[in-house]
């Protein structure tokens, strides 16, 4: 029996407690986009990503995968999928770790020299990245054909060289420091440029059993109304 992955540790309690309730709600105030994912839908996307990484890009437990993406609901699915596949996840720009796979936006393709690269358009309608270079996989096109259930076969360091248990413990401490729990609805405008920011802005929310309202390009004029309509109980940064 293998040790549980970080995704198992995060999603299993949430799925048992409230599979249908909102778990990640994403806004982009520059485009008017809003999308809401339940825990079950988030898990399905994570499973598709894990299957894609394992079966199409050849990721095995312990392999290093780099994720250079903004704070976005698809980024949450990618990170959870990478952890589920047992990948050692590096967040942001290359840090010297020998990564074999990268998931990046089109704007970051020039800096991605991994042997396997997948590009994300982050388009709300799932449109692919246009005019991709030969050898680069379009995530939106490829991931949808993969199964929405996943059985992990092992795990390595989960994030920035730290174990799943260590990351989870850290995330729970951060959530407790902010009084986040399963009743919390956290509105965040924070980016996810590195591993520490991911623990702060995503993992800590999930570790508490809370739900996340993530806002990109936040319009200050809409935030107070959003706190009311989304039943927000906490803000990050406070």
């Amino acid at each position: 029996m293998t040790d549980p992955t970080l995704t198992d540790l995060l999603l299993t309690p949430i799925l048992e407690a409230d599979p249908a309730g909102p778990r990640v709600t994403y806004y982009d105030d520059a485009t008017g986009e809003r999308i809401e994912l339940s825990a079950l839908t988030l898990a399905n996307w994570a499973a598709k990503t894990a299957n894609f990484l394992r079966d199409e890009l050849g990721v095995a437990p312990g392999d290093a995968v780099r994720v250079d993406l903004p704070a976005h609901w698809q980024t949450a699915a990618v990170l959870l999928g990478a952890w589920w596949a047992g990948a050692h996840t590096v967040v942001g720009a290359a840090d010297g770790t020998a990564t074999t796979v990268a998931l990046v936006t089109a704007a970051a393709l020039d800096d991605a020299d991994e042997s396997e690269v997948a590009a994300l358009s982050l388009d709300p309608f799932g449109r692919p990245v246009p005019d991709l270079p030969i050898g680069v996989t379009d995530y939106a096109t490829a991931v949808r054909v993969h199964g929405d259930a996943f059985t992990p076969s092992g795990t390595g360091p989960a994030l920035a060289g730290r174990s799943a248990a260590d990351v989870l413990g850290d995330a729970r401490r951060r959530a407790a420091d902010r009084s986040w729990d399963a009743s919390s609805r956290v509105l965040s405008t924070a980016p996810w440029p590195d591993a520490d920011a991911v623990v702060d802005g995503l993992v800590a929310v999930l570790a508490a059993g809370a739900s996340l309202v993530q806002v990109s390009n936040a319009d200050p004029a809409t935030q107070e109304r959003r706190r009311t309509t989304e039943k927000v109980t906490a803000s990050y940064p406070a």
Side-chain angles (χ1 to χ4, degrees), residues 22-196:
R23 191 57 52 186
V24 174
T25 306
Y26 175 76
Y27 283 90
D28 186 337
D29 285 350
T31 65
E33 177 184 355
R34 180 189 184 276
I35 187 165
E36 187 166 273
L37 282 72
S38 67
L40 185 58
T41 302
L42 182 61
N44 288 347
W45 272 95
K48 284 180 175 293
T49 302
N51 282 310
F52 163 66
L53 290 171
R54 181 186 63 190
D55 299 340
E56 198 159 329
L57 300 188
V59 173
D63 286 351
V65 171
R66 187 167 64 87
V67 177
D68 189 5
L69 298 167
H72 192 277
W73 71 267
Q74 288 186 35
T75 306
V78 164
L79 289 165
L80 289 165
W83 295 325
W84 222 348
H88 170 198
T89 307
V90 175
V91 177
D95 67 354
T97 303
T99 49
T100 57
V101 172
L103 296 104
V104 301
T105 62
L109 279 174
D110 288 345
D111 297 322
D113 59 2
E114 287 82 356
S115 57
E116 295 285 355
V117 178
L120 280 77
S121 67
L122 304 179
D123 184 88
F125 300 105
R127 287 186 285 253
V129 179
D131 305 318
L132 280 178
I134 293 173
V136 175
T137 302
D138 181 74
Y139 171 86
T141 303
V143 77
R144 64 178 56 136
V145 304
H146 289 275
D148 56 9
F150 185 76
T151 301
S153 57
T155 187
L159 181 63
R162 302 165 66 195
S163 71
D166 183 42
V167 174
L168 181 66
D170 183 19
R172 284 175 171 166
R173 285 189 293 272
R174 298 188 195 201
D177 287 344
R178 298 170 190 143
S179 300
W180 295 348
D181 59 24
S183 67
S184 299
R185 182 94 162 129
V186 181
L187 186 148
S188 175
T189 57
W192 301 343
D194 53 34
D196 193 62

Side-chain angles (χ1 to χ4, degrees), residues 212-223:
L212 175 66
V213 181
Q214 181 68 41
V215 182
S216 293
N217 303 305
D219 178 359
T222 68
Q223 296 302 86

